[in-house]
Amino acid sequence: MTMPDAQTFGSEGVITQWQSGSVGISHHAIPALKWPAMTMNFSLPPEISANSLPAGTPVAFTFVKTESAYQLQTLTPLTR
Ligand SMILES: [Cu+2]
């Protein structure tokens, strides 16, 4: 049994679409992971309910890599 990687990453982006158990986010580049800007799905922890923010909402978010997915830890709307 391997321990989950506890490293937390963070970025900002825009919510694109909710699915059951995950949310699409169009996010900025994340240099710590060598990721370019992209749109991808993040799985939801129990603390974040689906459709809690409308699509199109600018957000700041943090996430961890689990064995099977990238899972959100926090999802915060940005006010500009
Ligand atoms: Cu990505």
Side-chain angles (χ1 to χ4, degrees):
M1 182 172 165
T2 53
M3 295 294 291
D5 181 350
Q7 186 172 2
T8 301
F9 303 97
S11 187
E12 295 181 357
V14 175
I15 292 178
T16 58
Q17 187 178 13
W18 294 90
Q19 291 95 26
S20 64
S22 69
V23 61
I25 300 177
S26 179
H27 68 73
H28 297 171
I30 304 178
L33 287 165
K34 298 185 168 61
W35 285 358
M38 69 177 89
T39 301
M40 62 183 283
N41 287 326
F42 293 87
S43 66
L44 299 175
E47 307 81 53
I48 299 177
S49 53
N51 300 299
S52 53
L53 294 168
T57 302
V59 291
F61 62 99
T62 60
F63 62 98
V64 295
K65 184 182 189 308
T66 70
E67 289 189 18
S68 58
Y70 293 98
Q71 184 175 63
L72 288 182
Q73 285 194 316
T74 62
L75 184 66
T76 309
L78 291 175
T79 53
R80 299 188 190 275

